[in-house]
Structure formats: C-alpha cells, structure tokens
Amino acid sequence: MKKLVTTLFAVMVSLALVSGAWAGERIGVSMPTQSLQRWNQDGANMKAQLEAAGYTVELQYAGDNDIPTQVNQLENMISSGCKVLVVAAIDGTSLTRVLASAKANNIKVVSYDRLIMNSDAVSYYATFDNFKVGTTQGGYIRDKLDLDNAAGPFHIEMFTGDPGDNNINFFFGGAISILQPYIDSGKIIVPSGQTTQAQVATVNWNTEEAQKRMENLISAIGYGPNGTRLDAVLSSNDSVANGITNALVAAGYRKENFPIITGQDCDRPAMKNILAGTQSMSVFKDTRMLAQQVVKMVDAIVKGTEVEINDTTTYDNGTGVIPSFLCDPVICTIDNYKELLIDSGYYKEEELR
Ligand code: BGC
C-alpha cells in the first residue's frame, strides 16, 4: 500500500510538472508610483510578460510614493496567496517587517530596480548597472568640458535623487568617482559648496523640488546667461533634470548657451528637451529588457530551476550580498536616439515631438 501511494504521488508530481501545475500561480508586482513614466512602463511590461508566461498577476502602484500604501499592498499580496513578490521599493529600508511575514509564508521576494535593504527575505535583485549609470553621466561632463585639456576652472552644480533609494549611492557614487579628482584639483568649482550626497538629494525624485533648489541656486549664486557662468549640472535622472531645465529656461538660458545637463531613463519630457537642446543626454535603461529578465527569474523560482544571475559581489543589503542580474545601461544623446529608441520600437518618433 505504502509503495502504491508513493508511486501514485510520483506520478502526480510528474504529471503536475508536465501539465504546468504552476500555471496560474499568483505573482505580486509592487511599483512605487504612477507619477513617473518609467514605473508605468515597468508595471505594464511585467504584467504583460508574466501573463504571457501563464501567471496571474496582482499589480499595484503605491499611490504617489506612499510608503504605508506600499506596505499595505504587500500585506494583501501575501494574504491573497502570491507565490513570488516583485518589489520596487519607495524606501529601501521600510519593508523589513512586511517582508519578514512574506518569508514566514514561504513567499520569495525579488527586489526590482532598487535594492530592498535590511531584509533577509530578498532572494534576488534585478536592476541595471547603477554605478555605470553614474560613471556615464560623470564621464559625459568630463568629456564635454574636456576637463583633461581645457584650462578651466568650470562651474558645476550637482543633483541626485531620493535619500531612501539605495540606487543614489551608485548613481551619485559613480558620477562623483569621475568628477572628484577635478574638484580636488580645482578644475571644477561647485560654487554653492553643496557637494555631499545628502546636500544634493531630491526627495521622491520630485521635479518641483529640483526646480525649487535650482531656482534658489540661481538667485544665491547669480547664475544666468549674463550672470555667473554655469557650465554643467549633474542630474541623476530625468525627472530631476526636468526641474533643473525649467529653472534655467526661466532664468533666460536658451539652447545656444544652455549648460550641460545629464539625465537617466529617456522619458518623454527629457527626450523632448534633448531634441530642443535644453538637456544634453540621458541614460537609456530598456525597461522591456529588465522585465524580461525578472520574468525569467520568477519563472525559475516557481519551477525550481536555476536562476540566471551575473553579479554576486556588488549589492549587499545589510543581510549579505544579494545575487543579482544587472542589465546594461546605454548613453543616449541627440546623435543616437533614433537608433536606440525609435528603431527599437521603444517610442514612435511623433511621441517625442
Ligand atoms: C530608478 C531610476 C528612476 C528613479 C526615479 C531610480 O531608482 O533607477 O530609473 O529615474 O528611481 O523614479
């Protein structure tokens, strides 16, 4: 009898594998906000691709970066029987308690784009090479100002993103790793004196916040086409760059004399500014590629097969290094946007007009 039961069980298991017993499993996808284009794209891509792979998807946006809402939505995903949670955290340090309950329920957690800190419930991390995003931005400023040859000194100001987003350590850290030697040698001057990550952070990556800080810098230092020279503004992403551009346009800058401004995401307003000459570059992170990688991760987790990773050293979340997959970010300027964004089907040309 025991043998028969064991055999029956084995048959059932193999039938389940063949017929895909995992099909229809629930996957929770938690995104930080709908106010920025990229997270809407991320959410939509994840949902479509997970559904195409046979999963049922519970996709939630946490209002406009509202941490208690994100915690609540995760609690609901846990109680509604999700097998895997894919989470882009608003604040990387605020999910320890709720994710402990995921772990207790044997639910696996994938950290999406931003690393979730101080939680041993996180199994994997999928993102872009965030340090490379920063070195690409810093390298662009170095090359455009020809810092190794030009006499200088040059005036720059710096902006990064939300202090609760672990990514800024890499974006700002990467950029400053390129620029610091020039600041030290005096080739670059930061007239505001604001050079620490905390001083240049922008809460919630908010455009209006960035605009306000740039306006304050303009009036405090006297920047303007006929005032104190401003050569470049380092910005870690496009929503922040957008605020900086608004302030500089209001101060009278035009494309002929616009300071260099960096960005990230290739979101539509930024691309329009790049085409208009009021932003210099962005960093393209193909969210379709990230979603595809995460869907592969989820699928391997659910089916118990090997999860593809390519980095096991960079991202320690305070409980140890989280095995990661890093996608490649690519510089985007007016010279290559067609090939990168239009030819690849990411945007239609008319969306950027
Ligand atoms: C993402 C960026 C995004 C920013 C603001 C970061 O964590 O990596 O792509 O621009 O958040 O949403």
Side-chain angles (χ1 to χ4, degrees):
M1 182 64 188
K2 191 159 173 226
K3 188 152 180 253
L4 183 64
V5 171
T6 320
T7 317
L8 268 179
F9 182 71
V11 170
M12 276 163 61
V13 168
S14 46
L15 269 180
L17 284 177
V18 174
S19 66
W22 43 267
E25 293 281 29
R26 283 182 96 75
I27 310 295
V29 178
S30 169
M31 293 283 142
T33 176
Q34 271 187 301
S35 71
L36 271 192
Q37 183 195 324
R38 83 149 284 189
W39 303 110
N40 292 290
Q41 270 168 222
D42 286 285
N45 289 337
M46 284 295 303
K47 187 165 159 41
Q49 293 187 28
L50 280 169
E51 284 175 353
Y55 295 100
T56 302
V57 180
E58 202 170 317
L59 167 65
Q60 300 280 357
Y61 293 89
D64 185 6
N65 290 308
D66 189 52
I67 298 170
T69 302
Q70 184 162 51
V71 172
N72 241 316
Q73 291 174 338
L74 287 168
E75 276 164 359
N76 292 336
M77 288 173 187
I78 293 168
S79 54
S80 75
C82 287
K83 287 282 175 291
V84 180
L85 303 179
V86 177
V87 186
I90 298 165
D91 181 325
T93 59
S94 306
L95 303 178
T96 311
R97 192 189 49 79
V98 66
L99 294 186
S101 120
K103 189 175 179 186
N105 285 283
N106 204 20
I107 299 168
K108 294 275 183 290
V109 178
V110 174
S111 205
Y112 186 94
D113 191 84
R114 301 169 170 174
L115 185 61
I116 297 166
M117 305 303 287
N118 311 330
S119 167
D120 66 357
V122 180
S123 301
Y124 296 99
Y125 179 35
T127 189
F128 287 83
D129 183 337
N130 295 309
F131 195 78
K132 184 176 170 193
V133 170
T135 57
T136 303
Q137 295 164 336
Y140 184 87
I141 292 178
R142 176 199 56 209
D143 296 348
K144 283 290 153 181
L145 294 179
D146 196 15
L147 291 176
D148 287 327
N149 302 303
F154 296 99
H155 288 176
I156 81 166
E157 293 292 346
M158 304 192 280
F159 287 66
T160 192
D162 190 80
D165 183 345
N166 181 61
N167 281 349
I168 74 168
N169 298 313
F170 292 83
F171 299 153
F172 188 68
I176 208 75
S177 75
I178 302 280
L179 299 176
Q180 192 65 50
Y182 303 100
I183 297 177
D184 292 343
S185 73
K187 183 76 66 87
I188 288 180
I189 296 171
V190 182
S192 68
Q194 296 171 7
T195 54
T196 66
Q197 187 168 295
Q199 286 173 317
V200 306
T202 311
V203 169
N204 282 339
W205 298 89
N206 183 276
T207 299
E208 289 72 34
E209 287 297 314
Q211 181 168 341
K212 256 188 263 163
R213 180 163 168 256
M214 191 67 235
E215 284 165 359
N216 289 341
L217 293 174
I218 289 168
S219 47
I221 315 288
Y223 291 125
N226 303 312
T228 308
R229 218 185 59 240
L230 177 61
D231 296 294
V233 185
L234 171 76
S235 165
S236 286
N237 91 334
D238 285 344
S239 58
V240 169
N242 201 9
I244 297 165
T245 287
N246 291 344
L248 293 177
V249 168
Y253 287 101
R254 294 295 173 262
K255 77 175 197 200
E256 296 71 33
N257 55 16
F258 224 76
I260 294 164
I261 301 187
T262 63
Q264 160 182 208
D265 291 335
C266 292
D267 67 18
R268 275 187 289 267
M271 291 315 301
K272 288 181 184 171
N273 284 342
I274 288 178
L275 299 184
T278 53
Q279 183 174 324
S280 314
M281 60 84 84
S282 189
V283 177
F284 181 46
K285 304 198 301 186
D286 192 333
T287 50
R288 297 169 299 189
M289 196 196 279
L290 180 60
Q292 202 178 29
Q293 206 57 47
V294 175
V295 171
K296 275 204 246 166
M297 262 185 183
V298 169
D299 207 42
I301 292 170
V302 173
K303 293 177 181 164
T305 57
E306 199 181 329
V307 175
E308 188 182 350
I309 50 171
N310 62 10
D311 183 289
T312 53
T313 54
T314 311
Y315 288 99
D316 188 326
N317 83 340
T319 67
V321 173
I322 307 297
S324 307
F325 190 95
L326 312 186
C327 302
D328 197 34
V330 184
I331 187 166
C332 177
T333 66
I334 197 162
D335 298 324
N336 71 345
Y337 83 96
K338 277 211 165 108
E339 175 193 336
L340 216 52
L341 305 177
I342 312 293
D343 296 353
S344 77
Y346 203 75
Y347 290 133
K348 297 194 180 59
E349 183 85 61
E350 55 271 23
E351 288 180 281
L352 305 183
R353 274 188 212 123

